[in-house]
Amino acid sequence: MGRRILFLGPPGAGKGTQAEMLARALGVPHISTGAMLRDAIAAGTDLGREVEQVVSSGALVSDDLVLAIVEDRLGRDDAACGYLLDGYPRNVAQAVALTETMGDDAIEVALLLDVETDELVARLLKRADDQGRADDTEDVIRHRLNVYLNETLPLIDHYEDSVVRVDGLGSIDVVFARVVTALAG
Ligand code: B4P
């Protein structure tokens, strides 16, 4: 079994950005529930139609739906040699479900990207200009930050000894160098 890494952090912390680079470097699949949900919405599948409103509001999609897509993805051959989870688990119930599916050592390291709130909002508003994501308006961003505080932050205690904090402020390459150092330590 290869590396089993989880990226934790608030919206805009750089999880997706760093996870993509790290997955390439390690040769493991980058599994992003946010990206899978956005792909389903763009493709107009039944799942996409079901989750579209929820994702644009900044709330979390139901645990059952997300678990189903993650189980399916983790069951593919390429995930047998490790994986990098980005955006899942998003709450404690999802973490418990992941352990039931993949076992006690489902997560070997939880990398927590630390970035202050003003910088998060600035990054996401910039992405709104660049990419026009439906959930990158200022109100929805604030709501997503609250959802993070209430639902996702408890995962730091849940994963306790596996959590490694990484300073997420700085250029993408500088943060990536910190991620690589943190994993080596
Ligand atoms: P996600 O796709 O996970 O979105 P996110 O939290 O905003 O993080 P993302 O990875 O996109 O942004 P990043 O920090 O890399 O979730 C979206 C929605 O999907 C959720 O609100 C929810 O509705 C649903 N969902 C997803 N997973 C779910 C789950 N498990 N359960 C239930 N619902 C779920 O980057 C942000 C921006 O910052 C980018 O533009 C990037 O270019 C920029 N950036 C990154 N690093 C930077 C740096 N160092 N300096 C400057 N800018 C940087």
Side-chain angles (χ1 to χ4, degrees):
M1 173 54 94
R3 304 220 67 172
R4 285 146 288 119
I5 298 164
L6 163 66
F7 265 100
L8 278 175
K15 300 182 297 293
T17 308
Q18 296 297 327
E20 196 178 322
M21 294 165 75
L22 187 61
R24 214 177 302 128
L26 296 177
V28 295
H30 169 202
I31 301 179
S32 162
T33 43
M36 288 192 280
L37 293 168
R38 281 188 292 281
D39 286 349
I41 293 168
T45 62
D46 288 346
L47 170 70
R49 278 192 296 275
E50 195 169 340
V51 301
E52 186 162 17
Q53 295 279 28
V54 181
V55 171
S56 344
S57 77
L60 295 185
V61 170
S62 84
D63 293 341
D64 289 349
L65 272 182
V66 180
L67 179 63
I69 60 174
V70 171
E71 270 186 346
D72 177 64
R73 184 62 190 86
L74 286 173
R76 291 198 217 152
D77 289 350
D78 61 348
C81 298
Y83 45 78
L84 207 160
L85 292 176
D86 162 17
Y88 185 94
R90 201 72 153 221
N91 57 29
V92 173
Q94 292 182 5
V96 170
L98 179 69
T99 304
E100 279 167 8
T101 308
M102 301 300 289
D104 285 339
D105 52 2
I107 301 294
E108 164 209 353
V109 186
L111 289 169
L112 172 62
L113 287 174
D114 263 332
V115 177
E116 66 198 18
T117 305
D118 287 351
E119 169 73 8
L120 298 172
V121 175
R123 285 183 188 179
L124 294 173
L125 287 175
K126 181 172 181 302
R127 184 169 66 186
D129 283 345
D130 297 343
Q131 297 174 22
R133 241 173 76 168
D135 57 347
D136 280 343
T137 64
E138 186 145 10
D139 282 354
V140 176
I141 290 168
R142 299 268 171 211
H143 182 58
R144 285 161 60 201
L145 288 169
N146 278 329
V147 171
Y148 173 76
L149 293 177
N150 293 327
E151 307 217 24
T152 309
L153 214 54
L155 286 177
I156 296 172
D157 282 343
H158 182 85
Y159 284 117
E160 267 190 311
D161 299 341
S162 311
V163 173
V164 179
R165 283 181 186 268
V166 176
D167 179 1
L169 267 186
S171 73
I172 288 169
D173 288 343
V174 164
V175 176
F176 185 64
R178 289 185 198 131
V179 165
V180 171
T181 304
L183 276 178

